[in-house]
Amino acid sequence: MNIRMSPRLQRAVRPVRRNAVLVLLALMGSLFADTASAVLSIRPIAWNIIGLDSNNVTVGPNRFPGAARVCTDATPSNGAITVTWNWTTADAFIGLRAGSQNPVLLPALAANSCADAYFEVEIVRNASAYDHTRRYRIDADDADPGLVSSAVPREIYVEHLISQSRNAVTDIQFGTSIPSLVSVAAGGSMNLVVGNTYFIRLIGGTATQGYEQLETFIGFKNTVFRILNVASTFPADTSATVSSPTDVLYLDGCVWENDINSPNYRSCLSTGKTGGAPVAITYQVQIISGAGTTETLNSLFHDFSGSSYHYNADFSSSVRFANILDPTTSTIAKSFTPSTIPVGGISTLSFVIGNPNAFSVSGYSLIDNLPAGVVVATPATTSTSGCGTPTFAPTAGATSLNFSNGTVGANSSCTFTVQVTSAATATYNNTTEFLLIDGISTTHTASASLIVNNAPAPPACTNGLELATWRMEPAAGTGTPPTFTFKSNRVSSATASYTGTGTQAISTVAQTGSAVNYWQVTGGWPANNTGFPNAGAPYYEFVLDTTNFTGVQIAFDYTVQGNWASSNNNHLYVYSSANGGAFSTLSDTVGFFKNDPFVNRADTAATTGSSTTTFRINAVGQQQVTAAFFIDNIVFTGCGVPQQPPLTKAFNPTTIAVGATSTLTFTLGNENNIALTGAAFTDALPSGLQVAATPAATSTCGGTWAPTAASTTLTFSGGTIPARVGTVNGSCTLSVAVTATSPGARTNVSGPISTTQTGTNSGPTGFGTASLTAISPPVIAKQFSPSTILSGGVSTLTFTITNPNPSNAIAGVAFTDTFPVLPAAMVVAAAPLPTNTCSPGPPPPAPARFR
């Protein structure tokens, strides 16, 4: 039905119609704008020629890079981009590495930007693989409708590769920034942390003029390494299409023909070469997985020149290794031993870093700021064990500890210690900063607490303690005062001298048939005792620090010879002074006879000095200058606290296999002239050590010492340490067999030793320290190559023995391998000759064969 509108009505409707059209066009424009998608492009950026060694398929490379560059136009991609390698034909010898990543996910691209996806193409090591091909296509998709694909047809071609000595790897470097790159020697390792980004640079060289085709590559697994960027530089360049630097690893200097249908396929369409020395390829890589594994990194220089294909002859010998770390698996622990000390006492602060990885890890560092009031003790006593060659050198009085450049072996631990002290009572809580690996945080800290109390009441005063002794055997020389033959470490100074006009000598006097040395003074003695004791007269003098003692006594042997007066006119005086004050007469012995046997006498100081006590001895009654006075065996004793007993310890042997035993021996010393009783200490064995199944515990100290199998804490109490005899210190020993349950180097610090007479020795000598290294047994593997042969053929049987210990060689390695007799006998072949890199042992039998 037609409806006719009047002109007037038409004029009214026209604006409405026009507005509706404008609205519709606006809506359509908005719709198109919301659904506009980026235009992606993709092209391969790796050489399609791969290969195997032309003489021996078991050596040389068999994995090669496959790569594509995906770019977007002026519009950003619609999110992440999935890049997929698609085989379009089948071939049993060519594929992607089993377990490799496909597809590869690239991040979203900004407008006018590109990103690269890397794959791993692998050839089966079989001589039949030569000249095989397999076609492929690489797709990219950013979730918009439709895919973008690389040009087809394109194929992988397996060539015969020749080992080329002109191609060589000269260095591999790595670091978190280009200025910080460090070299890794052939066979060496680099530590890479999951989640971090690194620069890894391959440096090598080719023939001086370079090659028409050159591809370099480090064997990065795409499941572990994500290649973010590549920068290649090279000094030789006659190519019109490639210039240095370039952002790809494939240098197509001669315009290689990849078109399968072209009569020039696999040949150059132009002229030009790239390469020379040094060639440097810098990869920026992100570590995306693989924590706890060690990746083998072979480096490939792959070229075409003179109508043949080559690879670097040092492909195998230039290998490096990448230790992939999850830093959070490393551990740090700390402890104070003892955890409670008196003011001014000493505690050993120990740190233990644990590396649970199957490879050695270097670059450990740690900072520990001690709490206010705690400082490094004087002297600054430190130790490191199982840490490589770290830097750890805190100074006395320091309040911050800095440990760096530590290396911890596979499945091992590192221990470092320092002695600390405090002058104020408090509970000090101490937490370290984060443990770092190459500056990367492990997210772990360690905490421990130190309690400082007022010093406990000193032990009761012990009588008869020897302060110092002078004995004249062997002779100390003539004309000089002798030095002491013993001095307690609780006596800071002890001196002897003679004042007078007489002549001094250390002489030999026959006494009851034996010749003994004595301190002799001839002449200078007064003829009578008028005005004695007289400080101006001749005298022997002994001055001792007696700060720590009371009731100090002198005892000595004496005799006189020569022309002395009759006995009633002879006097022997002994007198003393406290702290340099006036002298008091201790004794006046009247009536000694010349040439009498030696007499021993003892006198106690009138007052013991709080700083020093001085004793003087002189004689009266000389008739001629030949009169001589002799003394010997001058012994000073007093009442006080004995010298602290030292505690030492040692493992024997210091290196054992895991599961083997070492004898741990403690030696308790005693420098006092009295026995020390009630000796006691505890020793907490470090993680990984315990008492052996048969403890074999022994003791020459008495007391209670009964370690039990598998225990990790040793306790000793109630012991007796024998007294010093003459100049020989007393000692006794305790021992126990311990075993290692895991590998690693461990430092064991005991608790402090104590006795009834001395209390606890919290000083540096009170703790026993020793180290034990446990090593893992060797690992053996074997392989036939080839694994399938005809009857009578020859297969090489290779045994590979690996030492899992990073710092310890293993000697005496041996094994036996019995050949099977069924289903067919296997015997040693006549040739080739056997080889052996496990010197100095004899070589293994020749390779085996079936017959």
Side-chain angles (χ1 to χ4, degrees):
M1 179 177 63
N2 293 327
I3 299 176
R4 293 179 63 85
M5 291 185 290
S6 67
R8 183 179 179 181
L9 181 58
Q10 290 179 17
R11 287 194 298 270
V13 170
R14 189 178 295 126
V16 176
R17 182 187 302 162
R18 183 172 61 249
N19 291 339
V21 171
L22 292 175
V23 171
L24 177 60
L25 290 174
L27 290 173
M28 292 177 64
S30 175
L31 177 62
F32 291 150
D34 289 345
T35 59
S37 55
V39 177
L40 299 179
S41 63
I42 185 171
R43 64 182 178 89
I45 56 171
W47 198 13
N48 67 316
I49 302 300
I50 63 176
L52 298 172
D53 187 279
S54 58
N55 295 313
N56 183 355
V57 297
T58 65
V59 301
N62 78 318
R63 290 178 183 167
F64 296 81
R69 176 160 293 173
V70 180
C71 300
T72 184
D73 62 0
T75 307
S77 66
N78 185 28
I81 301 172
T82 301
V83 184
T84 307
W85 184 288
N86 297 290
W87 295 111
T88 58
T89 62
D91 190 279
F93 296 111
I94 306 171
L96 298 182
R97 178 183 65 82
S100 65
Q101 189 178 130
N102 185 31
V104 171
L105 191 66
L106 297 180
L109 292 177
N112 297 309
S113 64
C114 301
D116 300 336
Y118 285 84
F119 301 88
E120 302 170 69
V121 179
E122 183 175 86
I123 314 169
V124 176
R125 292 188 182 275
N126 190 302
S128 299
Y130 296 123
D131 299 312
H132 274 245
T133 64
R134 191 173 184 185
R135 297 187 180 186
Y136 69 95
R137 183 188 76 246
I138 306 176
D139 297 332
D141 184 7
D142 67 350
D144 279 339
L147 298 175
V148 59
S149 300
S150 61
V152 293
R154 189 180 177 98
E155 69 181 16
I156 295 293
Y157 193 103
V158 180
E159 270 292 353
H160 300 69
L161 304 186
I162 300 170
S163 175
Q164 170 81 280
S165 59
R166 290 185 300 176
N167 295 345
V169 176
T170 56
D171 197 8
I172 298 286
Q173 302 172 343
F174 88 106
T176 55
S177 65
I178 290 178
S180 68
L181 296 182
V182 295
S183 294
V184 180
S189 299
M190 60 187 84
N191 292 334
L192 307 177
V193 176
V194 173
N196 276 34
T197 298
Y198 297 90
F199 292 91
I200 300 178
R201 177 175 289 167
L202 166 62
I203 302 175
T206 71
T208 304
Q209 74 279 8
Y211 305 122
E212 286 88 349
Q213 295 286 288
L214 179 62
E215 185 171 63
T216 55
F217 190 64
I218 300 176
F220 294 125
K221 286 184 178 178
N222 68 359
T223 50
V224 177
F225 301 86
R226 175 174 291 146
I227 300 176
L228 303 177
N229 291 293
V230 172
S232 300
T233 60
F234 39 92
D237 185 7
T238 59
S239 170
T241 57
V242 181
S243 60
S244 176
T246 183
D247 60 353
V248 291
L249 53 87
Y250 169 38
L251 308 181
D252 183 6
C254 68
V255 188
W256 190 253
E257 177 61 87
N258 292 306
D259 185 353
I260 297 168
N261 298 315
S262 170
N264 298 315
Y265 178 49
R266 292 193 300 119
S267 63
C268 292
L269 300 180
S270 181
T271 59
K273 296 181 179 181
T274 60
V279 176
I281 305 88
T282 304
Y283 297 86
Q284 184 183 26
V285 298
Q286 183 182 27
I287 310 304
I288 57 177
S289 69
T293 64
T294 296
E295 298 297 324
T296 301
L297 302 181
N298 289 105
S299 298
L300 174 67
F301 275 69
H302 177 208
D303 78 81
F304 169 79
S305 62
S307 74
S308 59
Y309 301 84
H310 315 94
Y311 73 94
N312 49 304
D314 62 357
F315 176 80
S316 297
S317 62
S318 63
V319 67
R320 271 74 168 175
F321 300 94
N323 298 324
I324 310 301
L325 298 174
D326 176 355
T328 62
T329 61
S330 291
T331 60
I332 178 68
K334 66 184 295 187
S335 61
F336 290 98
T337 304
S339 58
T340 300
I341 59 172
V343 169
I346 302 294
S347 179
T348 298
L349 175 54
S350 302
F351 301 84
V352 180
I353 298 173
N355 170 26
N357 296 285
F359 46 78
S360 176
V361 176
S362 59
Y364 281 106
S365 62
L366 181 71
I367 293 176
D368 187 24
N369 296 309
L370 299 175
V374 178
V375 298
V376 174
T378 302
T381 303
T382 64
S383 71
T384 64
S385 176
C387 306
T389 55
T391 298
F392 184 62
T395 57
T399 58
S400 183
L401 310 176
N402 193 329
F403 174 89
S404 62
N405 195 36
T407 298
V408 185
N411 299 304
S412 297
S413 61
C414 145
T415 301
F416 56 100
T417 70
V418 61
Q419 291 183 337
V420 298
T421 187
S422 176
T425 62
T427 296
Y428 297 99
N429 299 313
N430 183 205
T431 299
T432 68
E433 295 186 7
F434 288 119
L435 174 67
L436 305 179
I437 302 175
D438 287 333
I440 299 164
S441 174
T442 64
T443 72
H444 296 313
T445 62
S447 299
S449 295
L450 175 67
I451 300 173
V452 180
N453 292 327
N454 286 317
C461 178
T462 300
N463 280 308
L465 291 179
E466 193 169 343
L467 281 67
T469 297
W470 278 262
R471 302 185 193 281
M472 307 306 153
E473 301 84 29
T478 60
T480 58
T483 57
F484 53 79
T485 51
F486 168 80
K487 181 180 73 68
S488 167
N489 62 19
R490 295 181 61 77
V491 174
S492 63
S493 62
T495 60
S497 61
Y498 170 77
T499 299
T501 59
T503 302
Q504 297 183 70
I506 304 300
S507 62
T508 300
V509 178
Q511 192 63 231
T512 61
S514 64
V516 184
N517 293 327
Y518 292 88
W519 186 6
Q520 173 186 347
V521 173
T522 304
W525 304 104
N528 59 67
N529 65 343
T530 304
F532 270 79
N534 184 343
Y539 53 81
Y540 294 99
E541 182 173 83
F542 299 87
V543 184
L544 292 89
D545 164 36
T546 53
T547 304
N548 298 310
F549 297 89
T550 60
V552 175
Q553 183 181 73
I554 182 174
F556 60 94
D557 298 338
Y558 73 95
T559 190
V560 294
Q561 293 186 8
N563 194 357
W564 289 82
S566 61
S567 61
N568 290 335
N569 294 318
N570 294 335
H571 293 257
L572 172 63
Y573 289 98
V574 179
Y575 41 109
S576 70
S577 164
N579 304 324
F583 281 90
S584 299
T585 302
L586 306 183
S587 64
D588 174 5
T589 303
V590 181
F592 62 81
F593 289 92
K594 62 183 179 180
N595 302 323
D596 275 353
F598 273 80
V599 176
N600 179 264
R601 62 167 298 114
D603 294 281
T604 301
T607 303
T608 299
S610 59
S611 58
T612 60
T613 300
T614 302
F615 291 87
R616 288 180 178 174
I617 304 169
N618 65 9
V620 174
Q622 173 181 265
Q623 300 299 302
Q624 293 182 5
V625 295
T626 59
F629 191 92
F630 302 82
I631 61 173
D632 191 10
N633 300 325
I634 306 99
V635 179
F636 294 89
T637 57
C639 188
V641 177
Q643 298 184 72
Q644 293 284 4
L647 173 63
T648 60
K649 62 190 296 190
F651 289 98
N652 185 26
T654 57
T655 301
I656 61 173
V658 173
T661 60
S662 176
T663 299
L664 175 55
T665 300
F666 299 87
T667 300
L668 286 58
N670 182 7
E671 300 178 10
N672 298 284
N673 61 315
I674 63 166
L676 299 178
T677 60
F681 68 88
T682 61
D683 187 8
L685 297 176
S687 175
L689 295 184
Q690 63 183 38
V691 175
T694 303
T698 65
S699 171
T700 63
C701 305
T704 301
W705 175 246
T708 57
S711 62
T712 58
T713 299
L714 307 174
T715 301
F716 173 66
S717 63
T720 297
I721 312 174
R724 173 178 54 82
V725 177
T727 58
V728 179
N729 293 330
S731 67
C732 62
T733 59
L734 308 158
S735 67
V736 62
V738 298
T739 187
T741 59
S742 61
R746 298 171 176 87
T747 296
N748 180 204
V749 181
S750 75
I753 186 173
S754 64
T755 69
T756 302
Q757 293 78 14
T758 64
T760 300
N761 184 358
S762 297
T765 64
F767 304 85
T769 302
S771 297
L772 178 67
T773 299
I775 61 176
S776 296
V779 178
I780 188 169
K782 61 189 290 186
Q783 181 180 18
F784 288 99
S785 180
S787 58
T788 302
I789 60 174
L790 297 173
S791 178
V794 175
S795 175
T796 298
L797 175 57
T798 301
F799 298 89
T800 301
I801 301 173
T802 304
N803 177 6
N805 303 284
S807 304
N808 299 94
I810 301 177
V813 177
F815 70 90
T816 300
D817 189 35
T818 303
F819 294 157
V821 296
L822 294 175
M826 187 172 72
V827 297
V828 175
L833 294 175
T835 61
N836 173 26
T837 63
C838 301
S839 176
R849 72 177 182 183
F850 291 107
R851 67 180 183 185

